[in-house]
Amino acid sequence: MLQGARHVHIAALHAAANDAGIEIEIHELRKATDLENAQPHALVFPGGESTTMRLTGNDSASGLLPALFDWIREDSKRPVLGTCAGAILLCDPQDGGEPLVAAEIDRNAYGRQVDSFQSALDSTLLDRQFLGVFIRAPRFTKVGDSAEAVVTHENEVVGVRHDNRLALTFHPELSQDSAFHQWLLQTAKEVAE
Ligand code: GLN
């Protein structure tokens, strides 16, 4: 909750919970202690500005970002959804440790705000198409061996899965389609069972 499109994600998670018939509780995380208190079953890293997220999340007043990275690294089954700037943080944590999602990513690679667009995407994770909204989006430049391309746009990779971590360069929370949020909840349910 430090920066970015977080409230829309909360709405999308409620819609997904309703669509999938899964009961959820949302915890808003701003500080490392919020994570300790929440003991979540899944995480969402929203889109926004990764530079601002790094500054606020690494600041000693918060400490959230290192705490989140530790939490993810503790167990590769923990479900995580990172969208746009969130995907940048997962692929490039800049904390001296391994990437959380083994893919290389290039910020603002489509150009400026005017180059934002939406388009139909193909997803093997959903086994159907999905409307992707791209806002000053990054681009995957390489997918590592331990990761898998699961969403494409005209043969270009726009979604990568690594264990139960999913990095998307678009904004699924803006599509009125809760499928990727449902994947997160279903995965969290399976892991918890
Ligand atoms: N351009 C942003 C960044 O580099 C990402 C854009 C977004 O999250 N919509 O962090």
Side-chain angles (χ1 to χ4, degrees):
M1 296 300 285
L2 294 174
Q3 197 271 332
R6 53 246 199 246
H7 299 286
V8 202
H9 268 292
I10 292 177
L13 285 167
H14 283 303
N18 193 42
D19 293 343
I22 297 174
E23 234 178 88
I24 60 164
E25 202 178 293
I26 305 271
H27 293 262
E28 299 186 4
L29 309 180
R30 293 178 178 82
K31 293 189 250 170
T33 46
D34 296 337
L35 177 65
E36 268 167 51
N37 296 334
Q39 301 276 329
H41 292 104
L43 275 185
V44 175
F45 281 71
E49 276 305 325
S50 51
T51 312
T52 311
M53 291 172 180
R54 288 189 206 279
L55 284 171
T56 49
N58 285 318
D59 190 280
S60 58
S62 163
L64 180 61
L65 214 47
L68 292 177
F69 293 157
D70 283 349
W71 185 86
I72 297 170
R73 288 192 182 108
E74 266 165 34
D75 183 348
S76 63
K77 286 206 219 64
R78 289 181 169 162
V80 182
L81 173 65
T83 63
C84 207
I88 296 171
L89 297 179
L90 293 177
C91 296
D92 184 21
Q94 297 186 4
D95 66 346
E98 289 288 302
L100 291 319
V101 169
E104 287 174 20
I105 198 160
D106 187 13
R107 286 184 66 201
N108 302 327
Y110 290 92
R112 302 166 61 115
Q113 188 63 32
V114 288
D115 302 305
S116 296
F117 64 100
Q118 56 184 50
S119 184
L121 311 175
D122 295 300
S123 174
T124 52
L125 197 75
L126 309 178
D127 208 16
R128 65 168 170 86
Q129 288 206 317
F130 187 93
L131 181 69
V133 177
F134 293 80
I135 304 171
R136 287 187 65 226
R139 260 184 161 127
F140 292 111
T141 48
K142 192 178 165 192
V143 179
D145 292 339
S146 41
E148 186 193 354
V150 291
V151 193
T152 52
H153 172 240
E154 293 168 358
N155 295 323
E156 182 171 25
V157 178
V158 294
V160 173
R161 180 181 183 171
H162 182 154
D163 297 326
N164 284 338
R165 307 163 193 162
L166 184 60
L168 308 175
T169 57
F170 53 96
H171 284 263
E173 77 283 8
L174 297 178
S175 294
Q176 309 288 314
D177 178 340
S178 71
F180 284 107
H181 292 81
Q182 282 191 58
W183 172 85
L184 186 76
L185 301 186
Q186 293 285 11
T187 308
K189 197 175 165 209
E190 280 161 29
V191 170
E193 275 168 4

